[in-house]
Amino acid sequence: MQTVSENRAFGGTQGVYTHTSAVCGCDMTFGLFLPAEAKDGPVPVLWYLSGLTCTHENAMVKAGAQAWAADAGIALVFPDTSPRGDDVADDDAYDLGKGAGFYVNATQAPWGSHFKMWDYIAEELPALLGEQFAIDLDRQGITGHSMGGHGALTLAMGLPGRFRSVSAFAPIANPTASDWGRKQLSAYLGDDESVWAKHDATLQMQATGFDGPVLIDQGSEDQFLELLKPECLAEAMMARRQEGSFRMQRGYDHSYFFVSTFIPEHIDFHAEALYS
């Protein structure tokens, strides 16, 4: 692992690091904010998964999360959204290939050799963090925006007992029924739609739900509502009597202005679960 940068921030440290990923077969970059409490021992961690076209940097710079995480004594992890490198497959469209890993383990050519984002987030990066930093892997929460909200929800429900809490900002809520999903899931996983189900938050909510609190925020003026399909997830949460809240925020769109407005409430939500 190599240190790209480390900056003092809100009494803690905002770092950027690269490492060779055996899972993805390339070098990967991630951001990590450690609050001041990490000097005294392991602290709980909140994962932030970003959306289409993003790298580790977008949320790290735009979400304004570090100040609130410092107050709560929580570490923040900002992974990349896909493998990178000259030998990594890509596509001319913004919603497939680099920047669009969709948090799945691809099985289809040309994606299968590098696009293993599920295993990267679920296994490889947590192990690295636990070895190298003062991170308490027994106290994890996960959140994300758009494609990252999809990843946060599906990982939380797909890994029972791993995360104490999950939240999402404008998640791709029903990808098996959306053009933001069917295109990518078929490209990465093939045409067998039964394989797609574990990567659909609505279907996972119907099947298993989440053993903990859930918080979803969705902007009413989001320009991608038809692709996100938030009503499907809201109905599934209600039908399951899922512990949590689904909030439609009047007037907000899909931007980081929306995320930064509500990130303090999401961090407080996770802090309550992580310190209970």
Side-chain angles (χ1 to χ4, degrees):
M1 191 183 73
Q2 294 184 337
T3 300
V4 176
S5 62
E6 289 183 333
N7 298 97
R8 186 78 166 160
F10 303 103
T13 302
Q14 176 61 66
V16 177
Y17 309 92
T18 63
H19 69 105
T20 299
S21 168
V23 167
C24 295
C26 63
D27 288 344
M28 297 291 287
T29 301
F30 66 93
L32 174 65
F33 172 74
L34 289 173
E37 290 84 347
K39 295 178 182 178
D40 300 320
V43 295
V45 58
L46 177 61
W47 295 78
Y48 185 104
L49 305 186
S50 291
L52 287 167
T53 76
C54 291
T55 69
H56 69 281
E57 189 175 35
N58 295 72
M60 188 180 80
V61 173
K62 295 180 180 180
Q66 290 90 339
W68 308 101
D71 285 346
I74 292 173
L76 296 171
V77 184
F78 303 99
D80 203 345
T81 56
S82 76
R84 308 278 176 175
D86 293 340
D87 61 340
V88 174
D90 200 9
D91 190 89
D92 290 338
Y94 73 94
D95 58 356
L96 189 67
K98 294 178 185 177
F102 255 75
Y103 304 101
V104 303
N105 286 339
T107 58
Q108 305 299 300
W111 317 106
S113 56
H114 294 286
F115 282 72
K116 305 293 185 182
M117 291 303 295
W118 178 282
D119 282 351
Y120 179 69
I121 300 298
E123 303 299 337
E124 187 177 42
L125 187 53
L128 177 67
L129 294 174
E131 292 171 0
Q132 299 290 332
F133 301 98
I135 298 294
D136 184 356
L137 294 178
D138 289 328
R139 292 184 291 167
Q140 298 186 68
I142 191 167
T143 188
H145 174 225
S146 194
M147 179 186 73
H150 141 80
L153 289 164
T154 55
L155 280 155
M157 288 185 277
L159 298 170
R162 172 71 62 88
F163 300 101
R164 295 193 182 184
S165 50
V166 60
S167 72
F169 301 86
I172 301 174
N174 192 194
T176 62
S178 168
D179 288 343
W180 268 2
R182 294 191 64 82
K183 171 184 176 179
Q184 294 83 0
L185 295 175
S186 62
Y188 294 142
L189 302 177
D191 294 331
D192 181 357
E193 296 190 20
S194 66
V195 178
W196 303 0
K198 69 176 287 188
H199 300 293
D200 186 306
T202 295
L203 298 182
Q204 286 295 85
M205 183 61 67
Q206 292 169 350
T208 64
F210 177 66
D211 186 19
V214 177
L215 174 61
I216 311 293
D217 274 319
Q218 172 64 61
S220 68
E221 302 307 308
D222 193 312
Q223 58 271 45
F224 302 114
L225 276 176
E226 293 302 315
L227 293 166
L228 301 172
K229 298 190 177 297
E231 68 281 359
C232 299
L233 179 58
E235 291 170 3
M237 289 176 65
M238 181 62 73
R240 175 159 283 278
R241 306 294 190 264
Q242 171 67 49
E243 175 189 3
S245 300
F246 191 109
R247 310 190 302 190
M248 185 63 73
Q249 302 292 359
R250 183 177 181 183
Y252 285 88
D253 59 16
H254 200 71
S255 70
Y256 267 97
F257 296 110
F258 160 63
V259 173
S260 61
T261 298
F262 297 104
I263 196 73
E265 296 176 44
H266 282 243
I267 289 177
D268 285 347
F269 162 80
H270 288 283
E272 182 176 355
L274 295 172
Y275 277 105
S276 64

